[in-house]
Amino acid sequence: MENNFLYKLIILYMLDRVNEYMLTNEQIVNFITEKGYTNYFTVYNTLEELLLKEFISVDTIRKIPHYKITNAGEDALLFFENRIPDLIKKDVLDYFKTEKIKLKYESQTYADYYPSSIPGEFIVEGFVKEKKDTLFNIKIAVLDEQTAKKACDNWRDASSSIYTFVAQKLCADNNHSDIINEENIINEVNTSNEGTDNTD
């Protein structure tokens, strides 16, 4: 029971230290299991208990859970953080220091898809976020689920060029601005598509 309480505190501590974005189930499990604190099944059950107590919340993106700490979780951590050994805290902070750029990129640039109101078609929605603010959000309709999956897979690589293209076009003095060439954005998307043609 004491160890289970510690696992809850570790997860809360992790989410509190990266409260500007979310952590996936895989990111949390990998850290805790690779450090040898406990096994996958215990981490999974601990996450479920924290959700039940509303100490954390979850958003599901492309069937992958993304967790963040709630106000109740922050309050609980404030009372019990001193129960977390300093060595474990150091492990968490070292992990984030090493992985922060990767974790932030994976958590803040993402896409998902869902069925359209038109039978057989799907809506792809891509996000670029900075901390808790949405910098860019785009929705497109595609003709089938396979295309929707490819668009989501391409989003991280293509989002920067798409964002730049849209922002510069909207802020240009006139429609004939040559700040950016439309061919560049088309080539960027085509290149991303070619890179995923051989994947499922």
Side-chain angles (χ1 to χ4, degrees):
M1 184 65 69
E2 181 66 21
N3 283 343
N4 188 52
F5 182 67
L6 176 59
Y7 304 145
K8 291 178 181 177
L9 291 177
I10 292 172
I11 292 172
L12 291 177
Y13 185 78
M14 292 180 70
L15 295 175
D16 184 67
R17 290 306 180 271
V18 291
N19 62 3
E20 64 190 53
Y21 50 95
M22 298 180 287
L23 293 179
T24 66
N25 181 78
E26 182 181 10
Q27 289 164 344
I28 294 171
V29 170
N30 283 351
F31 169 75
I32 293 177
T33 56
E34 286 174 6
K35 288 297 180 181
Y37 300 147
T38 189
N39 57 52
Y40 168 83
F41 298 103
T42 301
V43 179
Y44 178 81
N45 289 333
T46 302
L47 287 167
E48 290 297 309
E49 291 176 14
L50 288 170
L51 283 170
L52 186 62
K53 296 292 185 180
E54 298 184 348
F55 289 148
I56 62 175
S57 61
V58 62
D59 290 329
T60 301
I61 303 168
R62 297 193 69 189
K63 301 180 181 179
I64 299 175
H66 289 65
Y67 298 96
K68 56 186 174 183
I69 193 168
T70 63
N71 290 336
E74 291 175 347
D75 291 341
L77 183 64
L78 182 64
F79 281 107
F80 297 109
E81 183 178 330
N82 62 344
R83 304 278 291 274
I84 306 174
D86 290 339
L87 183 59
I88 292 180
K89 289 182 180 180
K90 184 177 183 304
D91 284 344
V92 171
L93 297 179
D94 287 346
Y95 174 68
F96 287 149
K97 185 176 181 180
T98 303
E99 299 288 335
K100 186 171 184 180
I101 294 177
K102 179 182 177 182
L103 291 173
K104 183 173 183 178
Y105 183 64
E106 290 181 352
S107 298
Q108 303 243 85
T109 306
Y110 58 89
D112 201 359
Y113 69 91
Y114 50 87
S116 168
S117 58
I118 301 175
E121 294 190 6
F122 291 82
I123 302 297
V124 176
E125 186 168 17
F127 294 88
V128 176
K129 292 191 173 185
E130 178 65 32
K131 296 186 178 180
K132 296 181 179 179
D133 296 324
T134 299
L135 298 182
F136 187 53
N137 173 215
I138 187 171
K139 293 182 182 181
I140 61 170
V142 296
L143 296 179
D144 53 59
E145 187 170 9
Q146 183 179 4
T147 303
K149 289 179 179 179
K150 283 189 176 182
C152 289
D153 291 338
N154 291 338
W155 176 246
R156 282 198 176 120
D157 290 334
S159 59
S160 178
S161 295
I162 295 171
Y163 172 77
T164 300
F165 174 77
V166 173
Q168 292 188 346
K169 275 296 183 182
L170 289 175
C171 299
D173 291 336
N174 58 66
N175 292 332
H176 301 289
S177 171
D178 59 357
I179 295 176
I180 188 168
N181 190 322
E182 285 88 341
E183 274 188 32
N184 291 339
I185 187 64
I186 294 171
N187 290 336
E188 177 74 22
V189 175
N190 286 341
T191 300
S192 296
N193 283 335
E194 289 171 3
T196 58
D197 281 346
N198 296 323
T199 60
D200 293 330

